[in-house]
């Protein structure tokens, strides 16, 4: 099946054809770094991580650029409250935000260009816009003349004639039309500024993405993405700036991520329901958080709640339980010979290979992750049934099944080591609380002894088929940064 994706520009699914064979250039609008990363950021960048992973899974070489907005009104206001330099302030939060995404297990982009480092390139693009007659200078400010670009609104569906009703220029504004937007803003006291042909100032918000994507990916590039809230006016303005300046098509495909709700309500500061990623990871394993977001189609609006995370964790436990069952017989290092398989094993081999095809069909249909996860869970159910009905299973077949499960799961961001490092004293306290949870007192204060004792409790729970208790111990150890592996010689653990 050929990959099809929904193009926001055409408002329909299209067969994906890259600009350059075998390569994909993708630009995603990054964070404005004035506060910590929150679950809305996690939603967007996890979705594009899955998209990128699948594009690589089917053989593309992906170049992924994600900008950092470090020059902005919100940054200036926040820095002013602290009495610090806005660039230094944004640098601190850029590091914090990217570290949070890293701790979540979201893969890094190939490049994170900053607005403050690309000012000369923005000035060049603004001058090109002026030279081609699509902008004008007004007392130190520079504006884009929207009505001179005939295709304005082609991404968002906005109609200038309809927009005109009730619009007006506010007193003190320098622009010629209420639709026009700033390319360059005249310097104000206390704000960061740079020299330009129009005087000292700083760039408008929209010009940075037009410039950085064009600079690092060339025009046209394959995929431009971001949250649904950026479609208008940000992405619409990006298009007209780049195409007015260069005369070339900007991006071939536009992808927009559905916005997150929290317990059925829009996430906003006014409602006080913004959840920082850092705080959420103190309570939940990042893998649970990733799986929650990955299970939702990227264009849908998932509803975040504690109950949703609990349900996700139960599903993740089912997947890991199968992984553990397949790991033990998979230790044998032998090649699979289909001629030596029983009829039941041959049938199972055919079944799991069909799962691979079904998974790819789901992802080829506009990255349909809900269907892809349905395939994973069908894989789990049928594999469990096969293993229960067949005591002696070919080891190489188990390894083949395990490798497929890991490969498909990795595309959906599963099976990644947790990256958060914890202070030894804090870690010991958490382990002591954990062992008390399972009604076991222990005199030693050694981390190693506590873990060994917890593994013993888990092994006994598995013998008694108390799967919820066994899974709970494994998951909580995993949350603390320890990985358990079940081997022929017994369970072993290691620090991630």
């Amino acid at each position: 099946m050929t990959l099809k994706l929904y193009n926001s520009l055409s408002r329909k699914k299209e067969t994906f054809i890259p600009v350059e064979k075998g390569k994909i250039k993708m630009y995603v609008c990054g964070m404005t770094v004035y506060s910590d990363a929150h679950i809305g950021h996690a939603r967007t960048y996890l979705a594009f991580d899955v998209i990128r992973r699948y594009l690589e899974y089917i053989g593309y070489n992906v170049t992924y650029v994600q900008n950092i907005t470090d020059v902005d009104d919100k940054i200036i206001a926040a820095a002013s409250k602290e009495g610090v330099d806005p660039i230094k302030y944004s640098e601190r939060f850029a590091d914090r935000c990217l570290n949070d995404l890293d701790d979540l297990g979201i893969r890094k982009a190939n490049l994170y260009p900053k607005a403050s480092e690309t000012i000369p390139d923005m000035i060049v693009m603004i001058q090109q816009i002026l030279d081609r007659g699509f902008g004008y200078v007004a007392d130190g400010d520079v504006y884009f003349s929207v009505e001179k670009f005939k295709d304005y609104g082609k991404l968002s569906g906005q109609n200038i004639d309809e927009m005109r009703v009730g619009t007006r220029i506010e007193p003190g504004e320098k622009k010629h039309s209420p639709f026009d937007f700033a390319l360059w803003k005249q310097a104000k006291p206390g704000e960061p500024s740079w020299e330009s042909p129009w005087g000292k100032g700083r760039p408008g918000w929209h010009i940075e993405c037009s410039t950085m994507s064009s600079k690092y990916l060339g025009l046209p590039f394959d995929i431009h993405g971001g949250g649904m809230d950026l479609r208008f006016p940000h992405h619409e303005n990006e298009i007209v700036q780049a195409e007015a300046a260069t005369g070339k098509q900007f991006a071939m495909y536009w992808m927009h991520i559905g916005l997150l709700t929290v317990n059925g309500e829009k996430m906003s500061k006014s409602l006080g329901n913004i959840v920082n990623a850092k705080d959420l990871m103190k309570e939940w394993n990042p893998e649970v958080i990733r799986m929650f977001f990955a299970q939702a189609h990227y264009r849908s609006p998932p509803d975040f709640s504690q109950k949703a995370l609990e349900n996700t964790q139960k599903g993740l436990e089912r997947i890991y339980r199968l992984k553990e069952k397949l790991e033990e017989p998979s230790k044998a290092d032998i090649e699979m010979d289909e001629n030596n398989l029983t009829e039941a094993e041959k049938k199972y081999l055919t079944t799991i290979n069909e799962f691979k095809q079904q998974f790819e069909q789901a992802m080829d249909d506009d990255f349909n992750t809900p269907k892809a996860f349905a395939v994973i869970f069908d894989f789990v159910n049928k594999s469990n049934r096969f293993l229960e009905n067949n005591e002696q299973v070919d080891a190489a077949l188990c390894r083949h099944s395990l490798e497929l499960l890991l490969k498909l799961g990795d595309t959906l961001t599963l099976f990644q080591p947790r990256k958060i490092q914890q202070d030894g004293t804090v870690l010991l306290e958490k382990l002591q609380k954990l062992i008390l949870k399972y009604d076991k007192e222990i005199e030693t204060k050694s981390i190693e002894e506590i873990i060994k004792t917890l593994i013993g409790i888990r092994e006994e729970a598995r013998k008694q088929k108390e799967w919820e208790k066994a899974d709970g111990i494994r998951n909580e150890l995993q949350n603390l940064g320890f990985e358990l592996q079940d081997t022929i010689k017994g369970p072993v653990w290691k620090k991630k």
Side-chain angles (χ1 to χ4, degrees):
M1 184 176 175
T2 305
L3 174 63
K4 292 182 179 292
L5 60 82
Y6 182 86
N7 189 351
S8 297
L9 188 61
S10 64
R11 299 172 186 77
K12 63 182 180 182
K13 285 184 187 179
E14 297 180 8
T15 299
F16 179 73
I17 303 173
V19 173
E20 185 178 352
K21 186 177 180 180
K23 297 182 179 180
I24 294 176
K25 297 176 181 179
M26 182 166 73
Y27 182 91
V28 175
C29 287
M31 291 176 280
T32 300
V33 286
Y34 66 95
S35 60
D36 289 317
H38 54 65
I39 56 174
H41 296 129
R43 157 65 172 158
T44 295
Y45 302 119
L46 190 283
F48 280 109
D49 190 15
V50 172
I51 289 166
R52 174 199 194 178
R53 285 167 182 264
Y54 186 68
L55 291 171
E56 292 176 342
Y57 170 94
I58 58 178
Y60 286 109
N61 181 355
V62 181
T63 301
Y64 178 18
V65 177
Q66 186 185 122
N67 74 297
I68 295 174
T69 297
D70 62 345
V71 182
D72 179 83
D73 291 340
K74 292 179 180 178
I75 294 170
I76 293 169
S80 178
K81 282 185 179 180
E82 286 196 12
V84 298
D85 176 73
I87 299 299
K88 293 292 184 183
Y89 180 90
S90 63
E91 185 177 342
R92 169 161 50 100
F93 274 100
D95 291 341
R96 286 169 59 160
C97 287
L98 292 179
N99 285 339
D100 288 344
L101 297 185
D102 191 39
D103 289 341
L104 271 170
I106 296 172
R107 282 178 58 196
K108 290 182 171 67
N110 297 107
L111 190 65
Y112 292 99
K114 291 183 177 180
S116 63
E117 298 170 349
T118 326
I119 303 293
D121 303 281
M122 296 183 206
I123 290 172
V124 170
M125 180 170 277
I126 293 170
Q127 188 61 59
Q128 289 173 327
I129 292 170
L130 291 171
D131 292 344
R132 291 169 62 89
F134 289 98
Y136 56 91
V137 181
D139 189 25
D141 291 343
V142 184
Y143 291 94
F144 189 94
S145 185
V146 167
E147 292 176 89
K148 288 187 178 181
F149 193 90
K150 65 178 182 179
D151 289 333
Y152 189 82
K154 63 182 179 181
L155 176 66
S156 60
Q158 298 286 337
N159 182 291
I160 287 182
D161 290 334
E162 294 175 356
M163 292 167 60
R164 200 182 307 278
V165 178
T167 59
R168 64 189 181 92
I169 298 176
E170 296 296 328
E173 287 190 305
K174 306 172 189 177
K175 55 188 178 181
H176 297 169
S177 165
F179 307 125
D180 297 347
F181 57 89
L183 300 170
W184 187 261
K185 300 177 181 180
Q186 188 178 39
K188 295 180 180 177
E191 293 186 355
S193 61
W194 291 262
E195 293 289 350
S196 81
W198 320 287
K200 293 193 71 172
R202 61 186 174 93
W205 173 37
H206 311 300
I207 194 67
E208 67 176 79
C209 287
S210 297
T211 302
M212 285 189 270
S213 56
S214 302
K215 176 179 179 178
Y216 293 106
L217 298 177
L219 298 185
F221 58 91
D222 298 288
I223 297 172
H224 193 313
M228 190 69 72
D229 56 326
L230 297 180
R231 187 171 57 174
F232 184 85
H234 184 53
H235 288 165
E236 192 73 67
N237 292 348
E238 278 190 62
I239 292 175
V240 299
Q241 290 169 148
E243 295 187 358
T246 66
K248 298 177 181 179
Q249 183 170 352
F250 185 39
M252 302 299 293
Y253 302 90
W254 285 83
M255 302 183 71
H256 290 97
I257 308 303
L259 299 182
L260 180 74
T261 59
V262 178
N263 294 313
E265 294 184 306
K266 180 181 177 181
M267 189 175 70
S268 67
K269 282 188 176 181
S270 61
L271 293 174
N273 61 356
I274 294 178
V275 181
N276 284 342
K278 195 187 307 289
D279 294 334
L280 187 62
M281 285 186 284
K282 293 176 182 177
E283 183 179 358
W284 291 94
N285 184 339
E287 190 164 25
V288 174
I289 302 168
R290 292 197 308 271
M291 182 170 163
F292 164 72
F293 286 123
Q295 285 185 106
H297 191 274
Y298 77 88
R299 288 193 285 120
S300 70
D303 187 44
F304 175 87
S305 67
Q306 291 293 311
K307 183 64 176 177
L309 290 175
E310 290 169 5
N311 291 336
T312 299
Q313 180 163 291
K314 290 176 183 177
L316 184 61
E317 288 169 357
R318 289 172 56 201
I319 295 171
Y320 264 90
R321 201 174 300 155
L322 173 63
K323 176 177 175 287
E324 290 173 356
K325 288 180 183 178
L326 293 171
E327 278 175 337
E328 187 168 341
S330 296
K331 299 298 179 181
D333 187 17
I334 56 175
E335 296 294 325
M336 184 169 62
D337 184 350
E338 292 187 33
N339 293 322
N340 293 334
L341 299 180
T342 66
E343 288 304 312
E345 288 171 338
K346 289 178 181 178
K347 185 177 180 181
Y348 176 63
L349 176 61
T350 299
T351 299
I352 59 177
N353 288 338
E354 287 173 352
F355 284 136
K356 179 176 182 292
Q357 296 173 5
Q358 293 167 12
F359 177 89
E360 291 171 359
Q361 287 173 356
M363 294 298 285
D364 280 343
D365 182 17
D366 194 31
F367 306 98
N368 194 328
T369 54
K371 282 188 178 180
F373 268 104
V375 172
I376 294 284
F377 284 116
D378 197 16
F379 186 153
V380 170
N381 292 337
K382 290 183 178 176
S383 294
N384 281 331
R385 197 173 303 129
F386 168 74
L387 294 171
E388 288 168 4
N389 294 333
N390 297 271
E391 291 186 5
Q392 297 296 325
V393 179
D394 184 86
L397 175 61
C398 287
R399 188 171 66 251
H400 175 75
S401 180
L402 176 64
E403 288 172 351
L404 180 59
L405 178 65
L406 295 176
K407 185 176 182 180
L408 302 187
D410 178 75
T411 306
L412 299 171
T413 76
L414 302 184
F415 310 127
Q416 296 183 59
R418 186 170 186 180
K419 299 179 182 180
I420 292 179
Q421 301 296 321
Q422 301 192 55
D423 175 79
T425 303
V426 174
L427 184 58
L428 180 60
E429 290 175 356
K430 289 184 177 181
L431 283 168
Q432 289 170 336
K433 289 180 181 178
L434 178 58
I435 202 164
L436 289 173
K437 179 178 178 180
Y438 292 98
D439 299 321
K440 184 76 177 181
E441 293 186 8
I442 185 167
E443 294 181 2
T444 179
K445 293 183 179 180
S446 162
I447 288 176
E448 289 77 11
E449 286 299 315
I450 294 177
I451 292 175
K452 288 178 182 178
T453 303
L454 285 166
I455 289 174
I457 297 171
R458 176 175 175 266
E459 285 300 290
E460 182 61 30
R462 294 180 74 194
K463 289 178 184 178
Q464 301 300 323
K465 296 186 178 181
E466 296 175 353
W467 303 118
E468 186 173 345
K469 182 177 181 179
D471 289 341
I473 293 172
R474 187 202 63 232
N475 289 334
E476 293 189 80
L477 283 173
Q478 191 171 6
N479 285 347
L480 295 175
F482 298 97
E483 181 179 357
L484 293 185
Q485 289 184 345
D486 294 302
T487 70
I488 295 173
K489 296 181 180 180
V492 296
W493 65 274
K494 65 179 181 179
K495 189 81 170 68
K496 292 184 178 181

